[in-house]
Amino acid sequence: MGSSVRELAGATPATRDRYIDLLRVASLGTVVLGHWLMAAVTTDGVGNLLAVVPGLQVLTWALQIMPVFFFVGGFSHALSYRSLRRKQPEGSTDSVYSAFLRARLQRLLRPTMVFILVWGAAALIVQLLGGGGGLTGVTLRLVAQPLWFIGIYLAMVAFTPPLLTLHDRYGWGAFAGLAGAAVAVDVLRFAAGVPYIAFLNFAFVWLAVHQLGFLRADGRITRPALLAGIGLAAAVALVALGPYPLSMVGMPGEKISNMAPPTPALLCHGLWLVGAVELLRGPGARLVARPRVWRGVVAANGVAMTAFLWHLTAMLGVYGAMLALDVPLPEPASGAWWAQVPARIAVAAVVTAGLVAVFRTFERPVSAVPGTGSGPVSALGVTLCLFGVLGVSMVGFGGLLEGHTAMLIAVRVSAPAAVAMALGGWLLVERAGRRRSD
């Protein structure tokens, strides 16, 4: 792997925006560390450190950086789709769309499908043996929760071509339209009490952040300090004067969350983060220009999705081992608990590295070449994947034999049905994006 990383790093074109790759790794790494730190496990169950110490919720204004990852995705998707269009000799738009979906999604979906199948099989075995209670049951539910991110990202990829067309025509106006729609949704939600409409903001808020990546790709974010200032001021105002909570991540038992569904407050938070990382663009670019740093970024990008998928498995495995070995679990947020944090995180990192070594082979790039695929089939495939993956994230892997369900928007979905949708959609995307010679 070392020589391969060295070769890839050495072959990097001078025109590549390495800072974007650094942001991708840094944002996912921060999410992983945040999850490891926030887990407050005791013999009674799994809690959230931010609920134990509410004063720490203000830290989410710096550490909830998933908007940065989606911003980076918009930048990369714009470049990738435009490159495909330029390579298209005289093919149809459908073939470009299919190839784009396959190339952007297979590196995401292959490790995700393996994760779902491995955990699904493990959960079935556990339940057939009569297990599934205690920390095991909590684990079967929690390990699936980060899959919501995969589902949202699928939607971003699927909507890239039409939203890029709107961007090319209206620029900042396209972003403003999505942001305005997000605000309108919450007005109808809180002022008129319209049921289920809040779920539309899973699309409007995150696609608006994604649209900022298009603007970055065209060099149209020219005043990042102003963007950061407006975003931060608006987020503060919405939290102070509106119905939105302080935390920018979901909290157990809260009536209103900034994350599920996302709110205009979270969108403003995303504006502030995008402005902030753009202000750091110069120093960040100089840092990643160093050969050793760039090799590290290349290596991390090659396994980032696999590490993200398995990091909660590693953390809960560490806690399970501690319980099995009768290692004391101090009261969360106590002095003894904080003293254990470095060791717990270090062991979780080692376990994650082991899981990455096992599963990294499924995270391989797929060439993006316009072929003869069907755009409608690709669109159907990504839709099934989206709802399937989101369904798994909602219902988890527990209760497979009992037919346990969870509410996905306005429809109840079971884990077997969600897995079937995800796998079926993946196969459709794979088939539709292949060239005839594949």
Side-chain angles (χ1 to χ4, degrees):
M1 179 180 173
S3 59
S4 175
V5 168
R6 190 178 296 272
E7 291 169 2
L8 285 172
T12 303
T15 55
R16 187 177 183 89
D17 193 330
R18 300 184 182 194
Y19 182 54
I20 285 290
D21 294 288
L22 176 63
L23 289 178
R24 182 183 295 110
V25 169
S27 57
L28 278 184
T30 302
V31 171
V32 168
L33 287 173
H35 285 168
W36 285 345
L37 183 60
M38 284 192 298
V41 179
T42 66
T43 54
D44 297 325
V46 180
N48 190 313
L49 178 64
L50 299 179
V52 177
V53 188
L56 294 178
Q57 293 179 20
V58 70
L59 297 179
T60 63
W61 287 55
L63 299 179
Q64 164 50 301
I65 62 170
M66 194 57 84
V68 174
F69 188 87
F70 292 147
F71 162 69
V72 168
F75 175 91
S76 300
H77 297 158
L79 296 188
S80 176
Y81 189 73
R82 286 169 172 170
S83 175
L84 267 177
R85 291 298 302 269
R86 287 193 297 268
K87 292 176 183 176
Q88 180 189 24
E90 294 200 1
S92 68
T93 302
D94 278 357
S95 67
V96 174
Y97 182 64
S98 299
F100 172 74
L101 284 184
R102 180 173 181 246
R104 302 307 296 184
L105 295 185
Q106 287 311 311
R107 188 171 179 180
L108 184 72
L109 287 177
R110 285 173 179 169
T112 300
M113 293 303 124
V114 170
F115 174 83
I116 289 174
L117 290 174
V118 169
W119 262 110
L124 189 59
I125 292 171
V126 166
Q127 290 168 65
L128 286 173
L129 295 176
L135 183 61
T136 301
V138 174
T139 298
L140 292 177
R141 174 174 55 85
L142 288 182
V143 293
Q145 285 187 356
L147 293 177
W148 73 265
F149 149 78
I150 307 291
I152 298 300
Y153 202 79
L154 290 173
M156 291 178 174
V157 176
F159 282 106
T160 287
L163 288 181
L164 190 56
T165 298
L166 288 177
H167 161 77
D168 290 338
R169 184 169 183 178
Y170 298 109
W172 278 99
F175 165 80
L178 289 168
V183 172
V185 163
D186 268 23
V187 169
L188 293 173
R189 172 190 181 185
F190 292 113
V194 178
Y196 300 117
I197 195 169
F199 291 102
L200 290 175
N201 271 350
F202 276 111
F204 291 140
V205 169
W206 290 126
L207 289 176
V209 174
H210 188 249
Q211 206 80 5
L212 292 172
F214 296 168
L215 292 160
R216 166 67 156 76
D218 287 348
R220 300 184 69 171
I221 300 180
T222 57
R223 302 179 69 180
L226 179 62
L227 185 67
I230 290 174
L232 185 57
V236 168
L238 287 171
V239 169
L241 305 175
Y244 307 111
L246 174 66
S247 176
M248 289 297 163
V249 300
M251 298 296 300
E254 62 186 356
K255 293 182 179 180
I256 298 173
S257 168
N258 280 321
M259 278 288 293
T263 65
L266 183 64
L267 175 56
C268 293
H269 172 68
L271 286 175
W272 125 250
L273 287 178
V274 168
V277 297
E278 283 296 281
L279 284 172
L280 296 173
R281 182 175 177 180
R286 289 191 293 273
L287 174 66
V288 82
R290 299 176 182 177
R292 184 173 297 179
V293 174
W294 177 237
R295 286 196 296 271
V297 171
V298 170
N301 263 313
V303 298
M305 192 51 54
T306 303
F308 176 80
L309 286 166
W310 292 97
H311 77 280
L312 281 186
T313 301
M315 180 201 70
L316 292 167
V318 169
Y319 275 111
M322 292 174 69
L323 288 171
L325 296 171
D326 291 325
V327 177
L329 291 178
E331 191 67 23
S334 65
W337 187 90
W338 285 109
Q340 271 191 359
V341 165
R344 285 200 307 267
I345 289 180
V347 176
V350 170
V351 176
T352 301
L355 291 168
V356 166
V358 173
F359 294 108
R360 66 178 298 273
T361 185
F362 299 101
E363 188 174 351
R364 291 177 296 182
V366 176
S367 60
V369 180
T372 58
S374 166
V377 173
S378 296
L380 174 61
V382 76
T383 301
L384 287 173
C385 279
L386 190 158
F387 285 107
V389 171
L390 285 179
V392 174
S393 76
M394 295 293 295
V395 75
F397 295 103
L400 289 175
L401 299 179
E402 295 86 356
H404 177 64
T405 63
M407 187 68 74
L408 176 62
I409 307 179
V411 178
R412 288 215 159 264
V413 62
S414 66
V419 170
M421 282 193 293
L423 288 173
W426 170 47
L427 293 175
L428 286 175
V429 172
E430 176 75 23
R431 182 174 182 83
R434 289 181 185 273
R435 288 174 292 168
R436 185 168 292 167
S437 60
D438 283 357

